[in-house]
Amino acid sequence: MEQTNKGLSGNQLKLIAMLAMTVDHFTSVIWPDYPRDWWILLLHIIGRMAAPIFWFMVAEGYHYTRNLKKYAGRLLLFAVIGHFAYNFAFGIPFVPLKTGVFNQTSVMWPLFLGVVGLYTVERPELTQWQKTLAVVALTLLAFPGDWSSIAVLAILEIGQNRGDFRRQMTRMMLWVAMYALIYALFIDPVYGILQLFAGLTIPLLKRYNGTRGAGRGMKYLFYLYYPAHLFLCGLVRILLYGNVGVMVGGQ
């Protein structure tokens, strides 16, 4: 992607995603159980803009990183930290799969697996069937996470189609549509349709200028902010409702 000073930098996009994520998570904690009030739905629609930005920037991070082991290791570390923070935030047991297979850990786990997937599919020494088998395994491992297997598949589509924005977004939204359908059928129909508003992020991503942006320490901000805001969500949840689950997967 051609770099320019116009448009939005990676850091600016991440800040937008962090704001959208914060709105979404606190809305889930304060007004749980899939309410239908229009203004609550609007807050969740804003929240749908977070995940696609993070998928996109993880794929960009994979492309630009000078040390893939450190990059993947950092994602894995915060997937572990994020697991406890996320589950505390929403009242989900820390032991995975105790209350089912859906929404058992944070989105950091699928983000890490997405990077592993990009590394795997780019290995010339692997045959196509080996790559396919590895991707299937990674999507199965990601299934219990927030955004489930779709996060891994979206990262793969974005990373493998780098330079073709239309194809990146089209393939990403096909997977989002599948996630929306499954969500509508098995969890909640209104909130299933709501997942499709992830497409609102596309005009922002189109304005990405290919630069990191100002602020050398910004790359660590999300890693630190993610568990910190979830911890605050957990405190709010306990103050309002006690130690009970407030979303699917909760106890």
Side-chain angles (χ1 to χ4, degrees):
M1 180 175 290
E2 183 181 356
Q3 295 188 354
T4 173
N5 290 327
K6 298 180 180 180
L8 296 170
S9 69
N11 286 341
Q12 289 172 324
L13 285 169
K14 288 178 183 177
L15 286 173
I16 293 171
M18 288 166 60
L19 176 60
M21 174 184 67
T22 302
V23 169
D24 188 54
H25 287 168
F26 274 98
T27 300
S28 294
V29 167
I30 297 172
W31 298 285
D33 300 326
Y34 304 104
R36 299 292 197 271
D37 307 78
W38 69 266
W39 50 276
I40 295 177
L41 293 175
L42 178 61
L43 292 173
H44 282 302
I45 286 171
I46 293 171
R48 295 315 91 197
M49 300 174 69
I53 294 177
F54 290 132
W55 300 337
F56 190 90
M57 296 315 302
V58 162
E60 284 292 290
Y62 172 84
H63 175 77
Y64 282 112
T65 187
R66 298 178 182 177
N67 191 322
L68 183 58
K69 288 184 178 179
K70 285 186 177 180
Y71 182 57
R74 190 160 57 243
L75 284 170
L76 178 58
L77 171 63
F78 279 89
V80 175
I81 296 172
H83 169 76
F84 293 98
Y86 181 86
N87 290 30
F88 172 68
F90 304 113
I92 302 167
F94 293 139
V95 178
L97 310 180
K98 188 175 180 180
T99 55
V101 295
F102 196 73
N103 205 40
Q104 295 291 296
T105 193
S106 81
V107 74
M108 294 298 292
W109 174 239
L111 294 184
F112 162 71
L113 294 176
V115 168
V116 175
L118 285 174
Y119 174 79
T120 302
V121 298
E122 291 188 359
R123 294 304 91 205
E125 67 272 17
L126 297 179
T127 63
Q128 187 57 50
W129 74 265
Q130 288 174 321
K131 294 178 182 180
T132 301
L133 186 62
V135 170
V136 170
L138 291 170
T139 56
L140 290 175
L141 286 171
F143 188 84
D146 187 17
W147 275 98
S148 195
S149 307
I150 302 305
V152 173
L153 295 168
I155 291 169
L156 288 173
E157 296 289 4
I158 293 167
Q160 289 184 282
N161 294 294
R162 194 172 186 275
D164 188 341
F165 184 77
R166 181 183 294 271
R167 185 173 175 84
Q168 284 179 315
M169 296 298 101
T170 300
R171 300 297 291 270
M172 179 190 79
M173 287 306 299
L174 285 174
W175 289 118
V176 169
M178 180 177 291
Y179 181 76
L181 177 61
I182 294 172
Y183 208 106
L185 290 174
F186 296 101
I187 300 175
D188 184 275
V190 172
Y191 279 75
I193 296 171
L194 189 142
Q195 309 306 319
L196 295 173
F197 284 95
L200 291 175
T201 313
I202 294 175
L204 294 176
L205 294 176
K206 188 173 179 59
R207 295 195 64 209
Y208 173 55
N209 61 19
T211 69
R212 176 183 292 177
R216 295 185 61 181
M218 280 292 296
K219 70 177 183 178
Y220 297 108
L221 177 61
F222 169 68
Y223 293 109
L224 298 175
Y225 181 82
Y226 185 74
H229 93 280
L230 288 172
F231 179 73
L232 291 177
C233 282
L235 293 179
V236 171
R237 172 182 64 87
I238 290 173
L239 287 172
L240 290 177
Y241 304 108
N243 192 24
V244 297
V246 293
M247 68 163 50
V248 62
Q251 54 194 346

